[in-house]
Amino acid sequence: MAKKKYALLDTDFISKMHLIRKDDENKLIDKIMAMPDYIFYCHEQISVELLRHNIAGAPTGFKDKVENKSINLYDDKMILDELTVIYGELAIAMYIEMLKNACDAYKAGYFEENFVKVSEIDSLRIGKEEFLKTLTLDCDAIGAGKNLGELKSYVLLQVLNMKLGQQVYVFCSDDKNARKGIIAVGGASCISVLSSFIRLRKEINFKREEADPYIKSYINYCLEKKQTTFRIQDTSQEKKNV
């Protein structure tokens, strides 16, 4: 039996892969989702952000994949339930620690500045429902455009690392800070839109002639965004232009 591979999807990756297509019926995201032996995960915040991105068909396609169990969707309560199985009464404290780790990986001081109510609670005295309400108040105050989806994904990444006990792949944004955050949290292999072509060749023998229309679509997308270079970040955090 083939070994299962576990992967986390972020908003930017799903959005771009929905736009990279051979035609309306053949999108690159569907090639990724069809890779054998992969189990995909997302935080529910991703579905919220996909609606904000307003890319035609992307939210519906995502919802379909959740409903047919192609994507395992986690919310904060489910994460807290997973932590309770392992840590019992310390589950809320562990969630807060993972959230702070996620924030620190993204930007120093982000947790203290934005999760004000969460940072002030007594994790050993507050109940689950009250904690989740407090967390929601902070998240609502943060609002759109503050990378909340990435931060929640970083929390889920830590939980998956702990639960699964093996490497988790993260199909992620090309954004430099997002990739730095994944590397800082640790335990994951980051796969961008560009490197996903290599992953598809490895996993489903995605030949050049089959990939070519998708490559052209991606090039056109990049040109529309005035992007002519890519920046690669390895685990030593050395950067090169290619």
Side-chain angles (χ1 to χ4, degrees):
M1 179 181 290
K3 185 178 180 180
K4 295 296 183 184
K5 299 171 185 175
Y6 302 94
L8 196 59
L9 299 164
D10 83 358
T11 309
D12 191 61
F13 183 88
I14 294 171
S15 298
K16 287 180 179 177
M17 296 294 270
H18 186 83
L19 291 171
I20 299 168
R21 57 183 67 189
K22 178 180 178 180
D23 52 46
D24 288 344
E25 301 301 320
N26 293 277
K27 305 174 184 69
L28 198 54
I29 186 64
D30 296 322
K31 294 288 185 184
I32 291 291
M33 298 298 301
M35 292 192 304
D37 304 315
Y38 276 77
I39 300 175
F40 292 95
Y41 294 86
C42 265
H43 193 282
E44 72 163 351
Q45 184 65 30
I46 301 303
S47 62
V48 174
E49 295 186 355
L50 282 173
L51 285 171
R52 289 178 184 155
H53 279 211
N54 197 29
I55 294 174
T60 302
F62 180 82
K63 182 180 178 182
D64 289 344
K65 289 176 173 60
V66 170
E67 289 179 351
N68 67 26
K69 307 300 182 183
S70 296
I71 295 176
N72 296 284
L73 194 67
Y74 268 70
D75 60 20
D76 292 311
K77 181 181 183 302
M78 293 167 68
I79 288 175
L80 204 55
D81 289 343
E82 293 276 13
L83 293 174
T84 299
V85 171
I86 300 171
Y87 295 104
E89 294 179 355
L90 298 176
I92 293 173
M94 285 304 304
Y95 184 102
I96 295 172
E97 181 177 336
M98 288 179 171
L99 179 60
K100 187 175 187 309
N101 287 342
C103 292
D104 290 346
Y106 175 71
K107 181 182 177 182
Y110 188 103
F111 176 78
E112 292 78 8
E113 180 181 346
N114 292 281
F115 288 95
V116 178
K117 296 183 184 300
V118 168
S119 65
E120 292 175 347
I121 67 171
D122 184 339
S123 61
L124 296 179
R125 292 182 180 274
I126 194 170
K128 282 187 185 180
E129 293 303 319
E130 186 179 353
F131 169 72
L132 289 170
K133 288 178 182 177
T134 303
L135 178 62
T136 298
L137 288 173
D138 275 341
C139 291
D140 289 345
I142 290 171
K146 294 289 187 71
N147 300 90
L148 189 57
E150 290 174 4
L151 295 172
K152 292 294 186 75
S153 293
Y154 295 167
V155 174
L156 180 55
L157 173 59
Q158 293 173 79
V159 173
L160 293 176
N161 281 337
M162 178 184 63
K163 177 182 177 181
L164 302 171
Q166 68 181 70
Q167 183 186 62
V168 177
Y169 296 91
V170 181
F171 290 87
C172 66
S173 168
D174 293 322
D175 177 75
K176 178 178 67 176
N177 287 334
R179 300 185 65 148
K180 278 180 61 178
I182 292 165
I183 292 169
V185 168
S189 178
C190 186
I191 301 172
S192 68
V193 173
L194 180 61
S195 58
S196 67
F197 286 97
I198 300 171
R199 177 60 50 175
L200 286 167
R201 179 176 176 82
K202 177 180 178 181
E203 299 290 357
I204 64 171
N205 194 24
F206 198 43
K207 297 185 183 299
R208 176 57 191 259
E209 56 269 24
E210 186 181 1
D212 197 52
Y214 296 95
I215 293 171
K216 289 177 179 176
S217 176
Y218 185 36
I219 291 172
N220 289 335
Y221 171 86
C222 292
L223 291 175
E224 288 174 5
K225 300 295 182 180
K226 311 299 183 185
Q227 180 180 351
T228 57
T229 61
F230 293 91
R231 191 172 291 274
I232 295 173
Q233 181 171 357
D234 63 21
T235 53
S236 67
Q237 297 190 18
E238 294 177 356
K239 305 174 185 67
K240 302 175 184 178
N241 277 326
V242 296

